[in-house]
Amino acid sequence: MTIEVNGTVPVTMQPEEKHHHESYTALVWRRLKRSWTGLLGLILVGLLILMAILADFLSPVDPKATGVAFAPPQAISFSDKEGNFVFPPRSYPLREGEELDPITFQPVIGPDYDNPQILGFFVKGAPYRLFGLIPAERHLFGAVDGTPVHLLGTDKFGRDVLSRILYGSRISLMIALVVVSIVTAVGTTVGMVSGYFGGRFDAWVQRFVELVLAFPQLPLYLALASLIPVTAPTNVFLAFVIIVMSALGWAQMSREVRGKTLALARIDYVRAAIAIGATDRRIIFQHIFPNVMSHVIVAVTLAIPQVVLLESFLGFLGFAVKPPLISWGLMLQDTSNYSAIGSYPWILTPVAFVLVTVFAFNALGDGLRDAIDPY
């Protein structure tokens, strides 16, 4: 629209612009998208969670089924016995030959070219219950005739390594998520209450926190885990391990949240809430808690890989998960023998999944930290 001022110079009036108010969540997401490592970590974390949820569907073989011990990984081939190109792809099952390995004195295992396994998607296999409820027998990939295919080889009992890794992700990630959830709930609450009230109460709480932090954690883990009898049910042992990890892990979270709360308790809007008579509970959970959530979210993403590493280490020592449960740490017990590693290196495959998990959560945590607090 154009109007004249004093009848001389025309002035163009622009229509009123609509200002778009961006939410805090949208702002964080926009900043996170700028970090390729953060996005990569987010994608990997999503894939890991999806892998744990759909482990039954993704596993080509029953993880408890036994076969040839320490069978090497089967390769996927697009050629037949004569070397001609074929489709769909196939894998050649392994069989024991008559010759003996000069080092291990075990029968040499080689491919059986006379009985190829045709591979495909959505094939029938071992029955299972999808999400623990729906009966099913379709698997994402495998042999069309239903025979076992060991793409990552087998362990000392002849069990499929790939299927056990997929099933083991459930226990390893479940332990990490449950422990971090308990640690976050307890540590955040104690830290906020201690930092808000301050004074003598804060001093006594912090002395107790320092006492928990002073414990040598590894010897204490081993000592407490050894208190459970070997005949105890696996669920009881797993619950005890989670409780021990949580009891020793909340103190550091509490110390970090307390530091944030000490700064927030002196901000004007908190003082205003106190002045108008707001209760301590309302101030802590309505005013302080939302402002420490950004730090807590980042701390959670960085704490999960620590618990995964701890579970893997304790499982390697035999103090985390007991059979028939499957976890990455329990699978690593087979790597305790150097000769086994040298002769059967594929049993180290769970290490790769542990490394990917640690990288994924660390990358996501770094990306969230930069997105939530870019300064």
Side-chain angles (χ1 to χ4, degrees):
M1 181 177 65
T2 303
I3 63 175
E4 293 184 358
V5 179
N6 296 328
T8 56
V9 181
V11 179
T12 301
M13 303 295 294
Q14 298 293 337
E16 183 180 356
E17 296 181 358
K18 295 182 179 179
H19 296 281
H20 175 67
H21 297 283
E22 189 175 26
S23 66
Y24 179 70
T25 303
L27 178 62
V28 171
W29 171 242
R30 180 164 60 84
R31 290 172 177 168
L32 180 61
K33 289 191 296 185
R34 297 174 182 173
S35 172
W36 69 270
T37 55
L39 282 179
L40 178 60
L42 179 62
I43 294 172
L44 290 177
V45 168
L47 292 177
L48 287 170
I49 295 176
L50 189 65
M51 179 183 72
I53 295 174
L54 300 177
D56 308 282
F57 172 65
L58 298 176
S59 301
V61 184
D62 183 358
K64 298 179 182 179
T66 58
V68 179
F70 289 126
Q74 294 180 223
I76 299 177
S77 177
F78 287 88
S79 60
D80 57 13
K81 183 178 181 181
E82 289 76 20
N84 300 319
F85 177 80
V86 292
F87 189 84
R90 58 192 61 193
S91 180
Y92 297 98
L94 301 172
R95 63 178 182 181
E96 296 182 353
E98 298 180 357
E99 300 181 0
L100 297 180
D101 189 296
I103 299 177
T104 62
F105 297 101
Q106 297 292 328
V108 176
I109 300 176
D112 185 4
Y113 291 104
D114 296 326
N115 299 292
Q117 296 172 302
I118 307 301
L119 303 180
F121 290 99
F122 303 103
V123 298
K124 288 188 176 182
Y128 61 92
R129 287 186 174 271
L130 187 63
F131 307 118
L133 301 172
I134 307 173
E137 57 181 8
R138 292 286 177 178
H139 297 261
L140 178 62
F141 64 94
V144 175
D145 58 1
T147 55
V149 179
H150 308 295
L151 299 181
L152 292 181
T154 62
D155 62 6
K156 60 182 179 182
F157 295 113
R159 299 170 299 191
D160 185 60
V161 172
L162 176 59
S163 299
R164 290 180 63 80
I165 287 176
L166 295 175
Y167 273 84
S169 65
R170 287 181 168 178
I171 299 297
S172 297
L173 293 178
M174 185 272 293
I175 291 176
L177 293 176
V178 172
V179 169
V180 171
S181 298
I182 297 174
V183 166
T184 302
V186 176
T188 302
T189 303
V190 173
M192 288 193 304
V193 172
S194 176
Y196 174 75
F197 287 106
R200 183 173 297 180
F201 175 77
D202 178 51
W204 280 105
V205 171
Q206 294 310 305
R207 300 296 81 76
F208 179 71
V209 170
E210 292 172 358
L211 179 64
V212 175
L213 292 174
F215 276 111
Q217 294 193 5
L218 179 58
L220 191 59
Y221 281 129
L222 302 182
L224 293 176
S226 63
L227 294 177
I228 302 181
V230 180
T231 57
T234 54
N235 294 334
V236 173
F237 195 93
L238 184 60
F240 184 80
V241 170
I242 291 175
I243 292 173
V244 171
M245 289 184 178
S246 303
L248 297 179
W250 66 269
Q252 184 62 38
M253 176 72 75
S254 171
R255 178 64 63 88
E256 296 174 2
V257 173
R258 172 184 174 269
K260 300 287 290 186
T261 305
L262 287 174
L264 293 171
R266 293 169 175 80
I267 293 181
D268 291 340
Y269 65 81
V270 175
R271 293 181 179 273
I274 296 174
I276 64 175
T279 62
D280 294 331
R281 179 179 178 181
R282 179 178 178 82
I283 294 173
I284 292 174
F285 291 101
Q286 295 293 329
H287 297 285
I288 296 179
F289 178 68
N291 289 280
V292 302
M293 274 303 296
S294 60
H295 176 81
V296 170
I297 291 174
V298 175
V300 165
T301 57
L302 296 177
I304 290 177
Q306 296 178 4
V307 179
V308 172
L309 284 175
L310 179 61
E311 185 278 329
S312 300
F313 178 68
L314 294 178
F316 173 76
L317 297 178
F319 292 98
V321 176
K322 300 291 185 183
L325 297 179
I326 307 171
S327 74
W328 292 338
L330 185 63
M331 293 181 65
L332 291 176
Q333 287 185 2
D334 294 340
T335 65
S336 58
N337 191 335
Y338 288 106
S339 61
I341 296 176
S343 302
Y344 320 112
W346 56 87
I347 61 177
L348 286 171
T349 309
V351 176
F353 283 80
V354 172
L355 293 177
V356 170
T357 303
V358 172
F359 168 78
F361 281 100
N362 280 333
L364 178 59
D366 290 339
L368 284 176
R369 180 180 57 195
D370 296 337
I372 291 174
D373 187 9
Y375 305 104

